[in-house]
Structure formats: C-alpha cells, structure tokens
C-alpha cells in the first residue's frame, strides 16, 4: 500500500491505480470497525466536517455524516435552502466563511462540474467531492469497486456493464475511470441518445442492445432513470425503456449464476430493474450502502491525515 | 532491501538470538497464564504480527495446544494524525468476538514511547472488555513518554533518542530475521 498524500478527493480521473487500492484497503479496515462493540474510533476527534450540499441528497449526505460521527468528528450540515447562497453569496465567499469557522473538511455536492476543484484550490480545508454536476462522484465509484472486489476477490479481468442514463451520470464517469484503472473491461448499455458512441474514446465498449452482453458480464451496474427530469426527448416512455433496457426476470435469468447486480439507488422498481430481482440473492444493492460508509470513513481519514499540521 | 539495512548499522540480534529470546518469552507467558485457552496474542502491524506468530508457534510447540492469534491495528486510534510525515497503511483488526474473560497479550516488535501501546489499548476497549491486557515486546529501547511497561521483553536495548532500531523478518522483508541498531 502506497502512502496517501492528497488533502482533497476531487475525482477518480486524477488518481493512480495504487491510490485507489490504498483507499479500498483502508476501507476494509474501517468496515471492520462496524463489527466492533463500540463502532467509533477517535481519528478525527476535534476536527469539524461541513456537509455542504447545494444539490439535494439524502443518502450521500447521511452516509458522510455517519462516517464523520464514526471517526469522532463534529458535523455541520448546510443545504442549499439554508445557506446564504440563496441570498446571492458566492460559493467562494460561503466557503471562506466556513473556513473562518475552522472547518477542517468540506464535503461538497454541487450542480456545477468543477465546483469542488474550485474550492480545493482556494481553501486549506480538505475538499471531498460528493458529486459535481455531470462530472464525477468519486465516493460512489469507490464504494462500487469496493463491493465488486469484496464479492469477486478482484477487479482486473472482470467484465462490467453499466446500463442506463450514462450521458448525464457522474456515477458512470467515476465508475468508468475506476474500473479501467483497475483493469476491468467496461461496456456501456443504453439508448443511443443516452449512451453516445463518443464514450468509446474513454476506452470502453458501447452497445445499444442489452441482450448482447447479458451472458458475458460479471457485474451489471444499473443507473437510475431520472424520470423526474422528464427526459422525453431521450426516450419515448418508461415502458419502452423497461422493455428495451430494463433488467427483467427473463434477462436476469440469462446472466451468469454468480453475476452481481448493483444499483447506486434510489431504485425505480419495475423501471430499470424488476422488483423481485432487486431483492434477489445476486443483488448487492444494500451491501453497497454498508460499504459506502466504510469507504467514506477511509476517504475522510486519508484526506484529513494528509493535511499539513496547522502551526 | 539491503542486508544490513544501513551501512552504519550494528547487528544486535541474529535469527538464533531472536529465536532464543522468543522461546524464553513463550515460557514466561505459559508460566503466568495457566489457562492458555483464555489468551489471545494480538500483534500490532506490521512486524508485531510476525512476533506474535512466532510466539504462538513456540507456545504450541511447548504445550502441544493451539493459541489464538489476533491483529490489532492502531492507526485509527493514534493521537498524532497530522503530526506524522506520512500515513502508514491501515490493516484490518481481528480479535475474538467476545473478549469477556480473555487475556489479550499485545505484541510489538519495538517498545519506544509507549504511544502505540496506548493506542492499542484504546482500540481493544472498543472491541469489548477483556479480563486483562499484557504487553510483550521483542526490543525495549526505553524513552517512554507514558506510564507503560512491558510484561515480557526479548532484549532491553539502551539507545539514544534519535538512534534508529531496525527489526527485519524473513517472511515480510525477505532477509534473515535480525535486529539492528544505527551507530551513534
């Protein structure tokens, strides 16, 4: 395991395979903490973490919050509606104010790509990207790869299909970077409007027919169809999406017996995945949630630990 | 990995001397813990784990019954997260599910400030409440910063505070088991 030197986690793209492995190995140690009688360690005692979520999120924010509690940090939650951003304050000024309050770690969810990098370059605090626009969502990719490695024992050589709304998905981008760096083969699946061929430049395969790949893949990662955004221009109807790309019972039956079924949540039962399949033994959707906590503890620990001491 | 670890290091213990020291500690552990089923030899990564394995093998050879091994990683319990130059790797801790009535013997390669031992005791407390905790170290080099002493010591090694001590094990370092000390 190589030493970790970054104060921030902004994306997977800039990480080396060794750095990703360092996080996954540390996450394994932090996962063990959850099995102890006292599920809390003092690593970040006296440190303050600010959950700064300009875009709404419940599960990611809660996961970071619980991770910070387990590391004994103090946590403040700020959402878009409670922050002065609605009063016209700029992102930089809000963040400078957080730093003036001695925030050591800022977890940022923002609708603009590059928002986390913007802050990281201007503040001494550790900045953790919890999703920036359609750019990256590094901790989601880390918990996905952690789950695959835990269940399959390896990443290299596996064939992973990512299915659904790839075009606007930061989860997909971060996953593609992580999986390719660790030596997996990645196939993107979805309608041509949501999975354009241009993604092939990242080093992945693209197909618009899910039935072609079912028998060959070791992992299917189903992304949520963000139907609340009314993407009528991208596919005609939810029913048609389900019939062409949904993981139905019939399709699930053609997967390898030991194939993993993953989903970052929240799932649309009956749209991208059949309800019974989501609850089946091959589904690791809830393992992903548990592992997310361990991965986020590891990320907070490593980034806070790599900060220079305040003198 | 060079052997010796540095051109200016003196050999303190060779493989045979380490074996003798650990065999003696094994006898002392047996003497002080008549109920060997209750003990857990918990190594502190990385090389404390090696010492614990060697101690367990010695005890098993003498008493003809197995001894439970554990690993106690202290990184998360240290009080100097930002004072160190680099973060050392974290390993997965492994201790029995129920510590009630057990005797945990913490095993480290070098006992120095005592801060690692303090962190290990804190870590154990988060797993449960053992009946007692004892401490074994292959080398005690002095310079304690906390009120901690070892129950079992392989060798007391007087050092100056800046003098480096190296412990090497065949299994992890690829060179013969040995202990070295930098010349002053």
């Amino acid at each position: 395991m190589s030493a970790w030197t970054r104060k921030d986690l902004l994306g997977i793209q800039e990480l080396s395979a060794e750095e990703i492995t360092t996080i996954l190995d540390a996450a394994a140690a932090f996962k063990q903490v959850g099995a102890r009688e006292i599920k809390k360690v003092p690593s970040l005692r006296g440190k303050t973490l600010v959950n700064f979520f300009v875009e709404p999120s419940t599960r990611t924010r809660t996961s970071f919050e619980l991770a910070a509690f387990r590391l004994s940090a103090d946590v403040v939650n700020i959402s878009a509606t409670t922050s002065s951003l609605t009063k016209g304050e700029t992102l930089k000024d809000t963040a400078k104010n957080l730093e003036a309050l001695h925030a050591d770690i800022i977890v940022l969810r923002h609708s603009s790509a590059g928002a986390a990098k913007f802050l990281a370059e201007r503040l001494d605090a550790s900045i953790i990207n919890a999703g920036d626009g359609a750019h990256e969502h590094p901790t989601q990719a880390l918990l996905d790869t952690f789950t695959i490695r835990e269940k399959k024992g390896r990443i290299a050589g596996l064939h992973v299909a990512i299915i659904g709304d790839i075009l606007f998905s930061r989860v997909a981008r971060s996953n593609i970077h992580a999986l390719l760096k660790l030596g997996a083969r990645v196939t993107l699946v979805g309608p041509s409007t949501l999975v354009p061929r241009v993604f092939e430049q990242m080093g992945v395969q693209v197909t618009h027919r899910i039935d072609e790949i079912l028998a060959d893949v070791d992992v299917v990662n189903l992304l949520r169809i963000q139907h609340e955004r009314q993407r009528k221009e991208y596919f005609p109807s939810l029913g048609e999406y389900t019939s062409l790309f949904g993981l139905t019972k019939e399709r699930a039956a053609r997967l390898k017996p030991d194939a993993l079924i993953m989903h970052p949540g929240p799932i649309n039962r009956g749209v991208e995945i059949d309800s019974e399949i989501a609850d089946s033994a091959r589904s690791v959707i809830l393992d992903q949630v548990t592992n997310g906590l361990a991965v986020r503890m590891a990320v907070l620990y490593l980034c806070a630990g790599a900060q220079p001491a305040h003198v | 990995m060079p052997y010796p670890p540095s051109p200016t290091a003196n050999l303190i213990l060779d493989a045979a001397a380490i074996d003798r020291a650990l065999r003696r500690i094994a006898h002392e552990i047996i003497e002080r813990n008549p109920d060997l089923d209750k003990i857990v030899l918990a190594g502190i990564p990385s090389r404390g784990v090696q010492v614990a394995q060697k101690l367990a093998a010695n005890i098993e050879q003498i008493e003809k019954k197995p001894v439970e091994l554990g690993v106690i990683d202290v990184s998360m319990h240290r009080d100097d997260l930002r004072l160190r130059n680099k973060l050392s790797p974290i390993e997965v801790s492994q201790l029995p599910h129920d510590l009630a009535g057990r005797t945990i013997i913490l095993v480290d390669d070098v006992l120095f400030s005592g801060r690692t031992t303090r962190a290990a005791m804190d870590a154990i407390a988060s797993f449960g409440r053992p009946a007692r905790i004892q401490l074994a170290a292959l080398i005690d080099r002095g310079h304690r910063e906390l009120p901690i002493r070892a129950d079992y010591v392989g060798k007391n090694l007087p050092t100056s505070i800046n003098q480096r001590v190296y412990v090497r094990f065949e299994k992890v370092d690829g060179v013969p088991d040995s202990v070295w000390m930098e010349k002053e």
Side-chain angles (χ1 to χ4, degrees):
Chain A
M1 186 166 129
S2 61
W4 181 265
T5 53
R6 295 175 188 271
K7 84 168 173 71
D8 311 298
L9 178 69
L10 306 178
I12 302 293
Q13 190 173 9
E14 60 263 33
L15 300 184
S16 66
E18 290 70 31
E19 286 175 307
I20 296 172
T21 305
T22 296
I23 300 173
L24 301 186
D25 290 345
F30 280 107
K31 185 168 184 182
Q32 194 282 324
V33 173
R36 299 181 188 178
E37 194 168 301
I38 297 170
K39 296 167 182 53
K40 191 162 173 157
V41 293
S43 309
L44 298 187
R45 193 163 55 193
K47 305 277 182 285
T48 303
L49 177 139
V50 176
N51 263 327
F52 189 16
F53 278 64
V54 181
E55 252 191 0
S57 154
T58 307
R59 67 185 59 218
T60 304
R61 184 184 59 72
T62 309
S63 182
F64 269 111
E65 190 170 355
L66 202 48
F69 286 150
R70 293 254 171 109
L71 294 168
S72 307
D74 299 309
V75 180
V76 180
N77 289 307
I78 298 174
S79 64
T81 45
T82 61
S83 80
S84 294
L85 286 175
T86 52
K87 298 176 188 166
E89 190 178 53
T90 64
L91 175 62
K92 185 184 167 190
D93 284 333
T94 304
K96 280 279 178 199
N97 276 279
L98 296 176
E99 195 167 58
L101 293 168
H102 303 295
D104 299 283
I105 305 167
I106 298 174
V107 178
L108 181 70
R109 160 74 58 95
H110 200 280
S111 53
S112 300
K117 184 165 190 283
F118 176 87
L119 287 192
E121 286 166 353
R122 285 161 180 79
L123 301 181
D124 292 330
S126 285
I127 310 296
I128 312 296
N129 183 3
D132 59 335
H135 177 227
E136 286 230 37
H137 189 353
T139 56
Q140 179 70 45
L142 291 165
L143 74 90
D144 288 344
T145 42
F146 181 88
T147 305
I148 297 171
R149 195 179 77 159
E150 183 181 64
K151 300 287 175 187
K152 292 284 188 186
R154 67 193 167 104
I155 301 286
L158 295 181
H159 187 187
V160 180
I162 304 176
I163 301 170
D165 182 354
I166 312 286
L167 188 58
F168 297 100
S169 172
R170 53 195 173 212
V171 174
R173 271 176 192 75
S174 290
N175 259 295
I176 292 167
H177 289 304
L179 291 166
L180 292 179
K181 282 170 197 280
L182 296 176
R185 192 152 68 87
V186 179
T187 301
L188 307 180
V189 186
S192 55
T193 46
L194 292 175
V195 190
R197 291 258 169 219
V198 66
F199 274 97
E200 287 173 347
Q201 290 171 10
M202 289 181 85
V204 300
Q205 290 158 282
V206 169
T207 180
H208 307 307
R209 283 205 288 264
I210 188 172
D211 298 298
E212 280 180 355
I213 51 100
L214 288 173
D216 188 59
V217 295
D218 302 293
V219 179
V220 285
N221 198 348
L222 302 156
L223 302 184
R224 195 173 74 91
I225 289 301
Q226 307 185 37
H227 56 84
E228 70 276 14
R229 294 194 189 173
Q230 296 278 327
R231 291 243 181 75
K232 286 205 175 76
E233 64 271 37
Y234 292 105
F235 54 88
S237 71
L238 286 179
E240 180 164 328
Y241 181 86
T242 305
S243 70
L244 288 174
F245 298 103
L247 189 64
T248 57
K249 284 193 200 70
E250 298 73 42
R251 290 196 174 111
R254 279 151 56 204
L255 289 168
K256 290 182 187 174
D258 62 344
L260 299 181
I261 298 169
M262 308 179 72
H263 193 301
I267 60 177
N268 297 314
R269 286 178 185 270
V271 180
E272 64 264 0
I273 184 167
D274 177 87
S275 190
E276 274 179 42
I277 300 300
D279 301 327
S280 68
R282 284 184 292 177
S283 158
V284 293
I285 296 172
L286 292 176
D287 297 88
Q288 288 174 269
V289 178
T290 306
N291 291 338
L293 185 55
V295 161
R296 290 181 175 113
M297 286 173 79
V299 166
L300 295 177
Y301 172 87
L302 290 170
C303 289
Q307 264 189 24
H310 289 296
V311 259
Chain B
M1 189 74 64
Y3 180 81
S6 116
T8 51
N10 286 327
L11 183 65
I12 304 297
L13 299 174
D14 61 12
I18 291 175
D19 278 346
R20 279 193 295 275
L22 294 181
R23 216 173 314 138
R24 174 177 50 75
I25 293 178
H27 279 288
E28 289 173 10
I29 290 174
I30 294 163
E31 192 181 356
R32 282 191 50 185
N33 297 278
D35 204 352
L36 281 177
D37 299 340
K38 299 272 187 242
I39 71 168
V40 182
L41 291 170
I44 300 173
S46 61
R47 293 190 183 80
V49 176
Q50 303 299 314
V51 180
Q53 286 171 358
K54 287 171 184 290
L55 278 176
N58 273 298
I59 295 171
E60 285 176 30
Q61 205 188 355
I62 299 162
E63 288 294 305
K64 309 294 178 213
K65 49 181 163 180
V67 184
E68 188 159 0
L69 275 167
V71 174
I72 187 82
D73 190 274
V74 301
S75 348
M76 302 170 199
H77 291 266
R78 295 197 65 109
D79 55 10
D80 55 357
L81 184 57
R82 288 193 198 162
L83 301 179
R84 284 171 291 157
N85 291 328
K86 65 174 186 127
L87 282 173
S88 47
I90 316 179
E91 291 190 26
V92 181
S93 293
Q94 294 158 8
L95 281 181
H97 186 65
D98 186 8
L99 296 185
R102 305 298 296 266
T103 296
I104 309 276
I105 303 180
L106 280 174
V107 184
D108 207 352
D109 56 347
V110 178
L111 178 58
F112 188 17
S113 67
R115 287 181 190 270
T116 302
T117 309
R118 200 271 314 153
M121 289 193 285
D122 282 358
I124 287 169
S126 73
F127 281 85
R129 187 178 181 278
R132 61 188 67 78
I133 302 175
Q134 300 174 351
L135 174 62
L138 177 59
I139 301 291
D140 182 349
R141 59 168 296 185
H143 303 288
R144 217 75 79 236
E145 295 167 4
L146 296 170
I148 281 169
R149 61 161 183 80
D151 300 273
Y152 315 99
V153 177
K155 183 174 177 61
N156 285 296
L157 188 61
T159 58
S160 70
I161 191 137
N162 294 319
Q163 220 167 353
R164 281 206 60 173
V165 175
Y166 307 88
V167 177
R168 295 288 179 261
F169 286 120
E170 177 96 53
K171 210 166 150 191
V172 287
D173 301 299
V175 299
D177 293 0
S178 49
V179 177
W180 306 78
M181 181 167 67
E182 203 66 63
K183 292 193 185 80
E184 269 199 272

